Amino acid sequence: MKTEKPAISALLTAVSLAAVVTSAAHAQQFVDQTSTRFPVQAEYTNQCTLVDIDGDGDKDIVWANGQGYSAIGTLLKPRVYINNGAGVFADETDVRMPGVTGCFRGVEAGDVDGDGDWDIILAQDYNRQPLLMINLGTGVFRDETAARLPVITMGSSRAQFGDVDNDGDLDILICNSGANRFATTGRPRLFINNGAGVFADAPTTQFPSTALAEQMDCVFADLDNDLDLDFVIATRATGANATQIWMNNGAGTFAKLAGLVADQTAYSYDCGDIDGDGDLDLVGVNAGASSTELLLRNNGAGTSWTNVSTQISPNPAADDNDSRFIDFDNDGDIDLVIAALGAPDRIYRNDGLGTFTQVTTGVMPAVTDSSLDIKVGDVTGDGKPDMITAQGESGSFQNRIFVNIGPADTIAPSVRLLEQVPSNGAGPFAVRTEVFDGITSDRGYDDKGVFLVYSANGGKQVSVPMKWDGNNLWRGVIPAQPACAHVDYFVRAFDVSNNMGTSPIKSFVAAGSCGVPGDLDGNGVVNGADIAILLNAWGGGGPADIDGDGTVDARDMSILLNNFG
């Protein structure tokens, strides 16, 4: 019996420890459910995108697979995982993208031909042409590269869609370092859509880029709050070849921003409003001193950036590859998650003012793998953002899914900007808006529809779906209106948790012969009755907003008085 007591004690201790470990694992907000939701795989994956390719209302996953780090390896298939609606995925590559192989470093989705479904671009490395895969409407893709893209081979790591010239179609920005993504002779390319999904290489008068070494990432973003898309080109290089910002003049012509904070060894950039001041800030992964993260605060106009990397704590010198912002604690500010190579991914809580502190327990399991990319979005259909990581370069190459069992999202999207339509236009009237929410991706927030709502002369409201325009921008069109119609409009935005955000109401007056400005009661003369109507509407909108700027104010009174009598 004396020999049995220690054995029983040890057994009880082991059972207790196992219970503690099991309890701790179950207590994580993001639970690793890879084994029950993903197919088993062993392929070198560089990036992924979450997108509803088959139009059934849930998010599928397309993986960019490409063998080899410094030399090309075996050509691989881009994998297509189809969601069953509950976040369990099946590999349907051979049905959805038959016969396609390559060395794919980047993948992104956009509707290039305006038919309402998501097409795919695959960025290739080692002097190979990117592929443009056209969705046939059911989530089956056809390679139409030869008919739609310029014949330019590249060493490319990323590609992005965005409407740079505000003509209602999506253009393409693509990294290009030359013979491979580490080369020095290529220049980034901007492909302009002709409206039917056929692209031309932008002339150097429009995008005067030169050779830029070791381009790792590119991202569209409205950095100066003027409702057009600027962009960032991230590089591993330094000096003249360091990361660049290019600013849009509104018509799709770009100028390089001078004086950006110097970075180095950048693998990716992500944008988000870290401090709630209404503009987009930047985080560069591995871009700071000694391979730390570089956090840049936007000073409001997108032309001046302050290094606030000390606001990430700790900020270790580590081999990190990607990042995303995610409001995991549902407190209204965006937190930060970092994808690490050969170490556990890290998550940081925002204090609301842009200072990030790592959370080491209760949120993410400490899984040591080789994450090259991370995406956040609701793939299980419960309205909570999950995390997906792409695994490559080392380790087992098993891509992972972390399911969010934390608090429900109760915070509505924020419609930050809404374009003012000038009065006296003939229409149709294009309107752009910028919407932020609790996650970031290269296609904006996790939306369930953004709608442009308008009414003419106080009549019935009409709701028009807005199209995704690039990153956080959406674009909708109000059709031509009757002469002198007073049009009120606003934006209504939904997230996947069915939270709704709305913008303030704006107004404009359609072109036409409108009689005497200030004759608000339509009796042919501007008199005291019109003054009374205007004063009763003071500070609001509606027909008394004579100049169509969205507010009845002193300018409208001045117009009325100038026509009095």
Side-chain angles (χ1 to χ4, degrees):
M1 294 294 294
K2 290 183 179 179
T3 58
E4 291 179 3
K5 288 182 180 178
I8 293 173
S9 176
L11 177 61
L12 290 174
T13 300
V15 170
S16 298
L17 287 174
V20 169
V21 170
T22 302
S23 175
H26 288 169
Q28 302 296 326
Q29 178 175 337
F30 291 89
V31 181
D32 185 355
Q33 297 185 2
T34 304
S35 62
T36 58
R37 294 180 181 272
F38 275 3
V40 176
Q41 67 169 53
E43 291 182 324
Y44 192 131
T45 302
N46 294 282
Q47 195 192 5
C48 67
T49 190
L50 313 184
V51 57
D52 180 11
I53 64 170
D54 51 4
D56 62 354
D58 55 47
K59 286 186 174 60
D60 311 299
I61 307 174
V62 183
W63 307 91
N65 291 340
Q67 189 75 27
Y69 177 77
S70 57
I72 193 169
T74 302
L75 300 183
L76 301 177
K77 300 175 182 179
R79 291 289 171 185
V80 180
Y81 282 11
I82 298 299
N83 194 336
N84 73 347
V88 178
F89 293 84
D91 182 359
E92 297 188 9
T93 304
D94 293 338
V95 174
R96 306 282 180 171
M97 285 191 185
V100 178
T101 60
C103 186
F104 303 116
R105 301 293 184 191
V107 56
E108 196 49 80
D111 180 9
V112 302
D113 49 6
D115 62 354
D117 54 42
W118 294 100
D119 309 302
I120 296 290
I121 189 165
L122 293 160
Q124 289 207 74
D125 202 354
Y126 297 106
N127 209 29
R128 299 173 62 86
Q129 190 176 10
L131 300 186
L132 185 59
M133 310 299 298
I134 298 299
N135 194 332
L136 303 182
T138 57
V140 174
F141 294 86
R142 181 169 59 210
D143 183 356
E144 297 190 7
T145 304
R148 294 178 181 270
L149 291 188
V151 183
I152 301 174
T153 57
M154 304 183 187
S156 183
S157 55
R158 291 290 186 271
Q160 298 287 349
F161 290 108
D163 180 6
V164 302
D165 45 10
N166 193 27
D167 62 354
D169 55 49
L170 293 176
D171 310 299
I172 299 173
L173 173 67
I174 188 164
C175 294
N176 171 35
S177 300
N180 59 68
R181 69 192 187 284
F182 300 129
T184 62
T185 57
R187 66 178 183 90
R189 297 284 180 159
L190 182 63
F191 292 166
I192 302 300
N193 194 334
N194 72 348
V198 177
F199 295 83
D201 189 20
T204 54
T205 53
Q206 184 173 356
F207 180 31
S209 63
T210 55
L212 185 62
E214 300 185 81
Q215 300 163 44
M216 296 290 109
D217 193 19
C218 58
V219 59
F220 279 120
D222 177 14
L223 299 176
D224 51 1
N225 281 353
D226 61 356
L227 288 166
D228 60 43
L229 290 170
D230 315 299
F231 59 77
V232 182
I233 300 286
T235 79
R236 288 203 325 167
T238 58
N241 286 294
T243 293
Q244 299 177 351
I245 288 179
W246 288 78
M247 306 302 291
N248 193 338
N249 73 345
T253 295
F254 292 85
K256 185 169 65 175
L257 177 67
L260 182 65
V261 174
D263 73 347
Q264 55 189 337
T265 64
Y267 279 101
S268 77
Y269 268 78
D270 194 23
C271 55
D273 182 7
I274 64 172
D275 47 10
D277 63 353
D279 55 47
L280 290 172
D281 309 296
L282 293 171
V283 60
V285 170
N286 250 47
S290 302
S291 298
T292 57
E293 323 307 359
L294 178 65
L295 189 63
L296 299 178
R297 186 189 301 276
N298 190 339
N299 290 2
T303 55
S304 180
W305 300 82
T306 302
N307 185 345
V308 292
S309 302
T310 56
Q311 293 177 195
I312 300 176
S313 178
N315 192 354
D319 192 356
D320 300 327
N321 284 270
D322 196 27
S323 66
R324 282 294 177 268
F325 291 108
I326 174 173
D327 183 10
F328 74 87
D329 51 8
N330 196 47
D331 65 352
D333 55 48
I334 51 174
D335 310 300
L336 176 64
V337 60
I338 301 292
L341 183 75
D345 302 329
R346 306 188 305 278
I347 195 159
Y348 295 80
R349 178 176 278 114
N350 190 343
D351 69 349
L353 301 175
T355 295
F356 296 89
T357 304
Q358 185 179 0
V359 182
T360 57
T361 60
V363 180
M364 291 186 68
V367 178
T368 298
D369 52 19
S370 297
S371 300
L372 297 184
D373 187 44
I374 189 164
K375 293 293 190 292
V376 292
D378 174 26
V379 298
T380 61
D382 62 359
K384 302 174 185 177
D386 309 298
M387 293 189 193
I388 308 293
T389 62
Q391 304 295 317
E393 193 171 323
S394 62
S396 66
F397 295 167
Q398 175 61 57
N399 297 328
R400 294 188 181 275
I401 176 172
F402 299 92
V403 173
N404 188 350
I405 61 170
D409 175 15
T410 60
I411 299 174
S414 173
V415 184
R416 299 290 181 94
L417 296 173
L418 177 60
E419 190 165 18
Q420 175 64 58
V421 177
S423 286
N424 299 316
F429 308 95
V431 179
R432 292 169 294 181
T433 189
E434 186 169 65
V435 186
F436 292 1
D437 200 34
I439 72 166
T440 61
S441 79
D442 298 331
R443 285 200 310 281
Y445 80 104
D446 207 355
D447 78 286
K448 204 172 186 177
V450 179
F451 301 89
L452 177 61
V453 184
Y454 72 92
S455 62
N457 297 323
K460 181 181 178 180
Q461 288 186 345
V462 179
S463 181
V464 177
M466 303 186 81
K467 293 183 178 180
W468 175 73
D469 213 34
N471 202 291
N472 289 93
L473 297 186
W474 274 259
R475 186 180 191 270
V477 177
I478 299 172
Q481 298 295 306
C484 299
H486 184 101
V487 181
D488 296 319
Y489 65 98
F490 67 95
V491 166
R492 184 181 288 138
F494 296 88
D495 64 22
V496 293
S497 300
N498 290 315
N499 300 306
M500 181 183 73
T502 58
S503 73
I505 296 172
K506 289 182 177 285
S507 304
F508 66 93
V509 177
S513 177
C514 304
V516 181
D519 178 19
L520 301 178
D521 58 6
N523 68 351
V525 63
V526 180
N527 55 23
D530 301 302
I531 292 177
I533 293 171
L534 189 146
L535 291 175
N536 284 332
W538 194 268
D545 176 22
I546 301 171
D547 61 2
D549 66 354
T551 306
V552 179
D553 54 20
R555 290 188 295 273
D556 303 300
M557 179 64 80
S558 177
I559 294 170
L560 187 152
L561 293 176
N562 284 336
N563 293 282
F564 194 83

